[in-house]
Amino acid sequence: MQLIQVEIWTDGSCNPNPGDAGVGIVLKSNGRIKEISEFLGASTNNKAEVRAAIVGVLALNCPEQCDVTLYTDSDLIAVVFNGGWRARDTKPLMEQLKEVTSRCGRFRVVKVDR
């Protein structure tokens, strides 16, 4: 079975840090685009970034059939998923992100410049 190529572009932010936070997500697959935004309330930048990735992956109808590339400017997500240091204050969210991404047929993270 050939996996469906999916790009998930995410960003999360708050102002000030910590402060009111929100996320923006764009999913792209087979020429289709879906946009998602969500207000988080009080949070931190790192937590908002991880939450954006979780929301993006959870938006997939059949993740097991997807070859997902997550694009993020989050150093935390990129380093943790590419074998670097461990999350501390975001540990529960990172565990949730790892759990939802484990459902994907294939999953990888690409760090983009801000």
Side-chain angles (χ1 to χ4, degrees):
M1 172 176 83
Q2 186 169 350
L3 297 175
I4 301 163
Q5 302 293 313
V6 178
E7 294 180 3
I8 303 176
W9 294 78
T10 64
D11 199 16
S13 166
C14 65
N15 188 18
N17 187 21
D20 285 342
V23 298
I25 302 104
V26 176
L27 290 91
K28 297 170 74 174
S29 181
N30 294 328
R32 295 176 35 200
I33 295 175
K34 179 177 183 176
E35 297 177 353
I36 303 168
S37 61
E38 182 178 303
F39 175 69
L40 302 178
S43 191
T44 65
N45 279 333
N46 279 340
K47 289 178 182 177
E49 293 280 10
V50 178
R51 182 69 188 144
I54 292 168
V55 170
V57 174
L58 288 176
L60 300 173
N61 291 329
C62 302
E64 68 281 355
Q65 297 176 12
C66 295
D67 178 353
V68 178
T69 303
L70 176 78
Y71 294 91
T72 180
D73 66 354
S74 168
D75 292 327
L76 173 67
I77 293 173
V79 171
V80 168
F81 268 86
N82 293 319
W85 39 270
R86 298 175 188 255
R88 291 190 187 140
D89 67 327
T90 58
K91 186 175 179 181
L93 281 172
M94 288 301 293
E95 288 174 353
Q96 183 182 4
L97 179 58
K98 287 182 178 183
E99 193 276 321
V100 298
T101 60
S102 72
R103 300 176 198 165
C104 297
R106 182 170 183 224
F107 182 84
R108 63 190 163 284
V109 173
V110 174
K111 171 78 168 67
V112 297
D113 292 330
R114 295 179 186 171

